[in-house]
Amino acid sequence: MEKIEPELRLFDSSEELSSGLADYVLQVAESAVKDIGSFSLVLSGGDIPKRLGKLTKAPFLRLVDWPKWHVFWAEENVVAKLHPDSLYWQAKECFISKVPLLPAHIISVSHGVEGESAASSYEFSIRQQVKKRTVQASPSSDCPRFDLVLLSLGPNGHVASLYPNDPVLQEESQWVACVSKDGTRESVTLTLPVINAAANVAIVAAGMDLARPFMDVMVSRKPIGSHPAQMVSPQDGKLVWFVDASAASLFLRGNEHR
């Protein structure tokens, strides 16, 4: 299949970005439900949970076919379920508790266990969903083909819990890995082969503090691996960037001077 070039969607404000992202999620969901009868959505940290709050209000609340949705996570911090740093908890507070998703369709990372154990059990859970065909299998690899993976660009160019120059960036066989950030806190993350097997991937970049990392990712000035977002490249799918004016400022200024 021919590789699709990434799409860049620019917004004047962070608020408009959230509205545009909600429209996009609904569009991809409707298409997936129509084509395969269900929709698999993968969430991550950063500002993603808060932005999904748009889906809990009109008109989205009544437009969405919620029982057809299946929710997963691209990453999770190894903390207690009710810990404020739990990405499950953040998503529940901002989004999940306010919409009629089916509890059995929420596939979260285990809490209260060590990182390696959490990664292993989460990968098993995803494999079960592929076996049940809740999630499609990728036609070109053994990876799951999620309908939509939502990622947030981090200040050091990372996405999910894929940090610069981490050995996990070279992982090819595992679907889920445990990583240690700053040598202390553990987190669980989907690996690049899984992210790149998705039908659709969206990366959100908003705020002036992301202007430099977004510029570096877009112009590829840094060595591969130093900005993991550069390594997100869906094999048989589509990548869309959602960027506000602040995050895009350096990139746009650079293009003006070319």
Side-chain angles (χ1 to χ4, degrees):
M1 193 177 289
E2 190 177 338
K3 205 166 191 63
I4 302 171
E5 285 298 310
E7 179 186 342
L8 179 58
R9 299 191 185 185
L10 294 172
F11 299 88
D12 289 337
S13 68
S14 180
E15 179 67 19
E16 288 179 21
L17 189 158
S18 291
S19 296
L21 185 66
D23 286 333
Y24 172 74
V25 173
L26 177 61
Q27 174 198 336
V28 174
E30 287 179 334
S31 179
V33 169
K34 182 181 176 184
D35 291 345
I36 58 178
S38 64
F39 171 57
S40 53
L41 173 67
V42 182
L43 310 180
S44 57
D47 55 4
I48 296 293
K50 199 170 288 185
R51 291 188 186 280
L52 289 181
K54 283 278 182 188
L55 293 170
T56 69
K57 302 178 175 70
F60 300 101
L61 191 58
R62 62 178 175 76
L63 292 175
V64 171
D65 192 353
W66 296 107
K68 302 284 176 61
W69 282 38
H70 299 260
V71 178
F72 299 80
W73 274 260
E75 60 176 328
E76 177 59 288
N77 294 315
V78 180
V79 293
K81 200 168 194 173
L82 303 185
H83 192 285
D85 290 339
S86 162
L87 303 183
Y88 165 84
W89 180 250
Q90 291 174 21
K92 185 178 180 185
E93 288 285 279
C94 299
F95 170 54
I96 291 172
S97 64
K98 299 174 181 178
V99 296
L101 288 164
L102 299 181
H105 289 185
I106 299 169
I107 316 298
S108 61
V109 179
S110 297
H111 295 80
V113 298
E114 292 184 347
E116 291 292 350
S117 176
S120 177
S121 63
Y122 185 49
E123 179 165 328
F124 178 78
S125 295
I126 296 172
R127 288 186 182 275
Q128 292 300 104
Q129 297 300 316
V130 174
K131 192 179 284 187
K132 292 194 296 186
R133 301 193 177 176
T134 298
V135 179
Q136 303 296 298
S138 168
S140 55
S141 71
D142 79 329
C143 289
R145 183 172 170 82
F146 289 111
D147 296 313
L148 176 58
V149 177
L150 294 180
L151 301 172
S152 182
L153 182 66
N156 57 2
H158 79 273
V159 287
S161 289
L162 299 168
Y163 297 104
N165 304 313
D166 193 295
V168 79
L169 296 176
Q170 309 307 320
E171 179 59 53
E172 294 181 354
S173 57
Q174 282 180 265
W175 290 3
V176 182
C178 174
V179 298
S180 178
K181 183 184 179 185
D182 305 325
T184 52
R185 171 179 289 168
E186 289 182 317
S187 57
V188 167
T189 185
L190 293 183
T191 58
L192 278 167
V194 174
I195 292 171
N196 286 334
N200 298 278
V201 179
I203 307 179
V204 174
M208 191 56 75
D209 59 332
L210 290 176
R212 174 55 60 188
F214 177 69
M215 170 78 160
D216 288 340
V217 169
M218 286 293 110
V219 300
S220 304
R221 285 179 179 161
K222 305 290 183 178
I224 195 74
S226 66
H227 280 65
Q230 288 180 336
M231 302 175 76
V232 175
S233 180
Q235 298 307 303
D236 300 314
K238 186 176 182 182
L239 171 61
V240 182
W241 281 86
F242 287 78
V243 187
D244 74 357
S246 296
S249 57
L250 291 179
F251 175 68
L252 295 177
R253 202 177 306 154
N255 281 347
E256 284 175 3
H257 293 111
R258 282 183 184 177

